[in-house]
Amino acid sequence: MPRDEHRPDDFEERVTRALSGAADEFPPHSADLVTRSVARGRRMRLFGAARVAAAAVTVIAVGGTLMATDAFGTRSGTGGRLGADASASTPASFGRSPSRGHASVSGDDMLRTLKSLLPPGGTVSDASGRGSRPDGSGVWPSARLTYSTDAGSSGIELTIARLASGLPADEQGTGGCLPVEARPYDKCTTRKLPGGAVLNTTRSFTYPSSDTGQKRWYVVLTTADGVQLTAQEFGGGGEKGATGGADPLLSTAQLTSIVRSPAWNEAINALPAPDTAPTAPSRTDRASGARLTGVLESHLPHGTVSDLNSGVGLVQLVHDDGHGRNMVEVDVQYDATAQLAGHMGCAGESGDCEARTLPDGTRIKRVRTRSEKGGPAQVWLVDTLRPDGRRVTVREVNSYAESTPVTRPRPELSLDRLQEIALDEGYFAD
């Protein structure tokens, strides 16, 4: 049929048909997409040579944003008659293992429970809830609303999720204090509770690279059997719905009482049972966080170490030799040859770059550049790729985080020292 030049919606219809056809032909995502996306976000691989190569992975992560955002972000409010001491609240009974046959909970159930835990005297608007999915799809029960009093408004969200088996807990979900490099203005604490649960409490900002604007407070309770309850609150209204710096209406102690309330037991029991089969390959051949930390610290000059964050294949810390804080980061990867094809040279690199190949075939790239976050910080890195595909990248910033004001005139460690650190074989298991 010839195109009607006078039809203004002709273009829109053709685009719609094309997008629909593309969506039909697009392959389904793998079962562990959300887990891998969340893990990748938490590992914070922020190295120069990986920026181009990781673009495809970023697209995949975007594809999982709706689910991953829930795993990261859907959190919640507070308990009905809440005092200042959240530790006095009665914890939920988290010892039971949920069964797949348990009755599900609806979005209305989730919303009703969250409302029941809010302090009296306020009003609720913009409320919605989502029920449980017994199929283990990674879409978790949640509730969100705006809670208002004469003092203002807060956006409150709560999500209940089950962590995947077979992956380290620090590479999933929302628990744990995030590294200072990623969240330089967070005030985060971790507390172990009786029975093996871990409680993380964080005061932060909606835009983590700034210490101004809308405040975001959140609390994460991770139980011993892998259930995670996350409550978060945005000052002034919903997420990104306010620009001022007003404190959220509910304290972090009140948020703690919400996630520890036994009122969530029914929703917890409706979660899919934990998988018995591992969902990821064995990590016994990977570099542990403890191993990486020990090797990195052995190369540092005399000084103090703070803001340590480590996990499988990654360690970040801040070192102060008495002349200012300096962030240092080591990332270890396996089987990186294909990923880095064409990216171990200096083509496209900003700043000063040199590339070389050692006699044993190890490729090395050394870069001095400015922070890509637009600030005054200098970023120095050495990226190494061994012939067998093992990659070690060492990166430093002349501040405690790339987006913060500089704390010393230049990075502490020379490129030669960074190269020495990167070539240490101690990162790898025997």
Side-chain angles (χ1 to χ4, degrees):
M1 178 177 179
R3 175 182 175 184
D4 184 349
E5 299 291 346
H6 300 288
R7 288 182 61 194
D9 58 343
D10 182 71
F11 174 75
E12 288 81 355
E13 289 181 359
R14 288 186 291 113
V15 170
T16 300
R17 287 195 298 271
L19 290 174
S20 178
D24 291 339
E25 296 178 1
F26 198 83
H29 64 74
S30 58
D32 65 342
L33 171 62
V34 176
T35 298
R36 290 186 292 104
S37 300
V38 171
R40 181 175 177 83
R42 292 186 63 79
R43 287 172 60 81
M44 297 308 297
R45 299 188 181 280
L46 300 175
F47 305 112
R51 289 177 192 129
V52 176
V57 181
T58 303
V59 172
I60 294 174
V62 171
T65 296
L66 290 178
M67 291 182 287
T69 298
D70 292 327
F72 267 98
T74 359
R75 336 210 174 174
S76 124
T78 330
R81 297 179 57 85
L82 300 176
D85 184 7
S87 63
S89 62
T90 303
S93 301
F94 294 128
R96 297 188 300 244
S97 297
S99 63
R100 294 185 186 277
H102 199 284
S104 63
V105 294
S106 67
D108 288 342
D109 293 332
M110 292 293 296
L111 189 58
R112 188 180 308 113
T113 301
L114 179 56
K115 287 180 178 178
S116 73
L117 297 173
L118 296 174
T123 59
V124 170
S125 60
D126 300 321
S128 63
R130 184 175 61 202
S132 60
R133 293 278 298 272
D135 57 2
S137 62
V139 178
W140 305 110
S142 63
R144 66 178 62 197
L145 51 81
T146 299
Y147 175 74
S148 303
T149 68
D150 292 341
S153 298
S154 282
I156 300 172
E157 306 175 14
L158 181 129
T159 292
I160 303 175
R162 178 176 293 285
L163 300 182
S165 59
L167 281 176
D170 63 358
E171 293 191 18
Q172 309 181 58
T174 56
C177 294
L178 294 175
V180 67
E181 168 70 359
R183 314 283 304 200
Y185 300 106
D186 278 12
K187 295 181 179 179
C188 177
T189 61
T190 299
R191 181 160 58 105
K192 292 186 178 181
L193 304 178
V198 177
L199 180 72
N200 293 106
T201 302
T202 305
R203 295 190 180 196
S204 185
F205 296 85
T206 300
Y207 296 96
S209 61
S210 172
D211 61 350
T212 60
Q214 187 183 39
K215 294 182 179 179
R216 172 184 175 236
W217 293 356
Y218 61 98
V219 172
V220 183
L221 177 68
T222 305
T223 71
D225 60 351
V227 174
Q228 196 165 79
L229 295 92
T230 307
Q232 76 173 345
E233 182 181 18
F234 297 92
E239 181 178 8
K240 300 180 182 178
T243 58
D247 284 348
L249 294 180
L250 306 182
S251 67
T252 53
Q254 290 175 306
L255 293 179
T256 298
S257 292
I258 286 184
V259 297
R260 298 190 69 187
S261 171
W264 299 113
N265 279 354
E266 182 178 355
I268 292 170
N269 291 337
L271 295 175
D275 294 328
T276 56
T279 58
S282 170
R283 303 247 174 152
T284 56
D285 62 339
R286 300 311 193 210
S288 70
R291 177 186 289 269
L292 267 60
T293 301
V295 174
L296 173 57
E297 289 186 335
S298 73
H299 287 276
L300 297 176
H302 179 74
T304 59
V305 171
S306 63
D307 299 294
L308 173 64
N309 175 73
S310 67
V312 177
L314 179 70
V315 59
Q316 297 166 316
L317 55 81
V318 175
H319 184 259
D320 191 341
D321 61 355
H323 301 286
R325 289 182 288 176
N326 190 80
M327 194 282 294
V328 187
E329 185 173 73
V330 174
D331 185 283
V332 175
Q333 301 173 35
Y334 287 75
D335 305 319
T337 302
Q339 175 193 5
L340 294 180
H343 299 292
M344 285 302 292
C346 290
E349 284 288 348
S350 60
D352 297 327
C353 175
E354 56 178 312
R356 66 181 70 167
T357 301
L358 298 183
D360 67 356
T362 298
R363 303 189 66 181
I364 297 177
K365 180 163 67 173
R366 298 156 49 124
V367 180
R368 289 189 182 98
T369 187
R370 289 284 184 181
S371 167
E372 64 178 12
K373 298 182 181 295
Q378 299 178 52
V379 179
W380 292 3
L381 69 87
V382 172
D383 200 351
T384 64
L385 178 65
R386 289 163 168 82
D388 60 4
R390 293 177 298 165
R391 180 193 188 195
V392 178
T393 306
V394 184
R395 176 175 174 270
E396 65 173 336
V397 180
N398 60 331
S399 183
Y400 59 92
E402 191 172 336
S403 61
T404 55
V406 298
T407 51
R408 54 189 302 130
R410 54 186 287 165
E412 174 187 359
L413 307 175
S414 68
L415 288 177
D416 287 340
R417 177 66 67 89
L418 295 185
Q419 180 173 318
E420 175 187 321
I421 295 172
L423 293 177
D424 195 318
E425 289 289 333
Y427 297 116
F428 307 102
D430 298 332

